[in-house]
Amino acid sequence: MADLPGESAPPAEPPHDYAALFVVERARLNDLLAGLHGADWQRPSPCPGWSILGLCAHLLGDDFGLLARHRDGHYGTPPPAGATESGFVAWLDEMQAEWVGASRRLSPRLITDLLQWTGPQIAGTFRREDPRARTASVSWAGPGPVPAWLDQARELSEYWIHRQQLRQGLGRPSDLRADLAGPVLDGLRWAYPYRLAQAPSQPGDTVTVAVTGPVTETWHLVAAGTGWRFDDQPGTRTVASLAMSTEDAWRLLTNNLTAGSRSDLAVSGDGAIIGVLFRTRAIIGEPKWA
C-alpha cells in the first residue's frame, strides 16, 4: 500500500485483512504440527528453556489470552501498575514461564487439538473488531493509541515469528512466502518512526530501509517538524541507509538476528542513526546482543 504524504503515525485504513491472514497463518501452523513425530516435540526451540512442545504451549497461552481480552473483555492478569518497560518485561517473562511450566501436563495431541479449536475463534474476533478504531496500544510504535489493525498485525506477527522459530528448532528453513511475510513486515516497520525520534534531525533528512526478496520493499523515512514519516519519495538529504534480506529484516526487528549476522547488513551514513536502526525492535525489551 502506498504511504500517504506526511504519514508519521499509522493511518486508519488497514493495509491488509488481518483476520483472513490469521486463517492462513493458523492453517500453516496446523500443517507443520501435523507432521511431527514423538521425538520432534522434545527438540529444543530457539526460545531458551522451551522445547518445541513448550513453544506450542506458549502459542496456546497466547490464544487463550487474546480471546479473553479481545472477545470477552477479561483482563485476569493485569501488569503491575506503574511498571517500567524492564519491569513489565520481567513480569511478562515470569507469567509466560509459569504458563508453559503448568502446560507440561498437556500432551502434543491436546495442544494441537486446542490450537485447531482456538484458531477460528481468533479470526472471528478480529473480524468483529473495527480495524480503523484508534483504541489499541502498541508500545513499540509509540505511546499513544493506534488503529486496531496495527494491534492485529502485532498479533499476527507474534504467531508468524514463533512458527519460524519452530521451523528453526526442527531444522527447517524459514517460511518466507510473501503472502504472510509481507504483511508481517508491513506491521513491524512502524517501530522505525517512533525509535528514530531519538536521533537529531533536520526537516527533509531521509533514512532509507530496503528489503530484498522474497519480500521486496523500500521504505523512505523523512524527518518533518513533528517527527519521522513514511513517504513514497526521499527528502532533500539522505542521512542513512540500511539494506537487508527478508530473512535478516524480520530477525533484526524481533531480536532473532545474532550478533555475527549483523555484518551481512549493508549500512551507510550517520553513525547515531545507524545505531538507532540496529536497536529498533517491534517487540518490547532491549536487544539481546547489542
Side-chain angles (χ1 to χ4, degrees):
M1 184 185 77
D3 297 312
L4 300 175
E7 188 178 80
S8 57
E13 191 65 27
H16 305 281
D17 181 351
Y18 285 102
L21 291 172
F22 180 83
V23 173
V24 177
E25 170 54 36
R26 183 49 53 95
R28 291 179 184 173
L29 174 67
N30 291 340
D31 286 346
L32 176 65
L33 301 186
L36 300 191
H37 302 287
D40 292 331
W41 293 98
Q42 301 310 318
R43 295 177 66 163
S45 80
C47 300
W50 289 355
S51 64
I52 295 295
L53 182 60
L55 181 49
C56 291
H58 168 68
L59 288 176
L60 182 61
D62 279 351
D63 278 7
F64 288 154
L66 192 155
L67 288 171
R69 297 188 307 273
H70 288 246
R71 188 192 67 181
D72 305 334
H74 177 72
Y75 296 83
T77 54
T84 62
E85 181 173 351
S86 60
F88 177 81
V89 171
W91 166 82
L92 183 62
D93 287 346
E94 181 179 357
M95 182 178 66
Q96 291 174 340
E98 181 182 356
W99 165 263
V100 173
S103 299
R104 287 182 302 207
R105 301 180 66 184
L106 302 181
S107 65
R109 179 178 176 180
L110 276 171
I111 287 179
T112 53
D113 285 352
L114 287 168
L115 286 168
Q116 291 174 8
W117 176 74
T118 51
Q121 297 185 63
I122 291 175
T125 298
F126 282 172
R127 289 192 186 98
R128 288 188 293 272
E129 294 178 344
D130 179 0
R132 300 166 183 81
R134 291 190 179 273
T135 55
S137 174
V138 178
S139 62
W140 48 256
V146 297
W149 70 257
L150 185 57
D151 190 34
Q152 294 181 357
R154 188 243 321 255
E155 298 290 358
L156 174 69
S157 70
E158 166 88 0
Y159 293 100
W160 184 90
I161 291 161
H162 283 320
R163 182 163 60 87
Q164 309 316 310
Q165 293 172 330
L166 288 170
R167 294 181 63 86
Q168 180 179 338
L170 293 165
R172 305 182 190 183
S174 299
D175 178 1
L176 300 180
R177 282 175 281 183
D179 60 341
L180 288 179
V184 165
L185 288 176
D186 206 23
L188 299 181
R189 72 184 177 121
W190 285 101
Y192 283 122
Y194 178 47
R195 296 303 183 188
L196 279 171
Q198 304 169 10
S201 64
Q202 298 294 324
D205 285 355
T206 301
V207 172
T208 297
V209 179
V211 180
T212 56
V215 177
T216 300
E217 295 281 357
T218 299
W219 303 318
H220 299 295
L221 291 122
V222 181
T226 56
W228 293 81
R229 70 188 185 207
F230 284 108
D231 247 322
D232 289 332
Q233 300 297 325
T236 55
R237 184 172 71 110
T238 297
V239 295
S241 65
L242 167 63
M244 52 190 168
S245 67
T246 301
E247 181 81 63
D248 287 341
W250 81 260
R251 288 184 178 278
L252 177 64
L253 282 164
T254 62
N255 266 358
N256 282 277
L257 187 68
T258 63
S261 298
R262 185 164 51 173
S263 61
D264 295 333
L265 309 182
V267 295
S268 64
D270 182 274
I273 292 180
I274 290 171
V276 173
L277 295 177
F278 277 152
R279 293 191 301 271
T280 294
R281 299 292 181 272
I283 57 173
I284 59 172
E286 291 297 318
K288 295 182 176 64
W289 49 263

